[in-house]
Amino acid sequence: VQLVESGGGLVQAGGSLRLSCAASGVNFEDSAIGWFRQAPGKEREGVSCISNTDGSIYYSDAVKGRFTMSSDNAKNTMFLQMNSLKPEDTAVYYCAADHWCYEHRGLGWVPKLDFAFWGQGTQVTVSS
C-alpha cells in the first residue's frame, strides 16, 4: 500500500487549498480514507474520514463547513478541499487508509486514529 499526498503550501488566511491523496494497493470500495493533521507541539488529530466499508463519514468540529472530502475512484485518488483557511489550520496533513472511520472505545464510538497505512504528509501553512 502506498499513499502519496500533494497540494500543500503557503496560503493567506481566508484562502483555499486542495490536497490530493493518490493511493495504490488500496481498494477504495473496501476502505476508509482519512485525513489527519499534526501541528508542532500538538497531538495528531483526525480531520475527516470517509468509509466505503460502512458508509460512515465525519468532519471534525474544527473544520466542519470549511473542508470537504471527495474522491475520484477511477484514479484511486482522494481529495480534501480546504476553504476559509485559518492560521490554526497550519499543520502537516496526512492521508491514511484503513477499513473503518470509527472504533469502539469505552462506552462509545470515537474517530479511529491509528490507521493501518499512512502517507508521508504535506505541509500546509496559513499566514495571518
Side-chain angles (χ1 to χ4, degrees), residues 14-125:
S16 299
L17 283 174
R18 188 195 197 202
L19 304 184
S20 299
C21 174
S24 58
V26 176
N27 180 2
F28 269 25
E29 294 183 358
D30 189 31
S31 298
I33 302 295
W35 285 98
F36 300 82
R37 67 186 183 185
Q38 187 165 20
K42 295 187 177 181
E43 293 186 354
R44 184 176 61 203
E45 62 173 335
V47 173
S48 62
C49 183
I50 292 177
S51 172
N52 289 320
T53 305
D54 62 4
S56 61
I57 181 170
Y58 79 76
Y59 293 93
S60 70
D61 289 342
V63 307
K64 199 173 296 181
R66 300 187 297 122
F67 290 12
T68 305
M69 285 187 71
S70 62
S71 67
D72 183 340
N73 289 349
K75 296 183 179 180
N76 251 31
T77 301
M78 188 68 74
F79 304 100
L80 182 67
Q81 179 67 42
M82 307 186 296
N83 298 329
S84 302
L85 282 162
K86 305 175 181 179
E88 52 262 44
D89 294 318
T90 295
V92 178
Y93 283 71
Y94 302 88
C95 69
D98 204 290
H99 287 296
W100 316 105
C101 289
Y102 291 92
E103 62 181 350
H104 196 268
R105 197 184 304 162
L107 299 178
W109 292 88
V110 298
K112 184 177 173 64
L113 294 179
D114 57 342
F115 272 40
F117 304 101
W118 292 83
Q120 83 288 351
T122 185
Q123 176 70 46
V124 171
T125 303

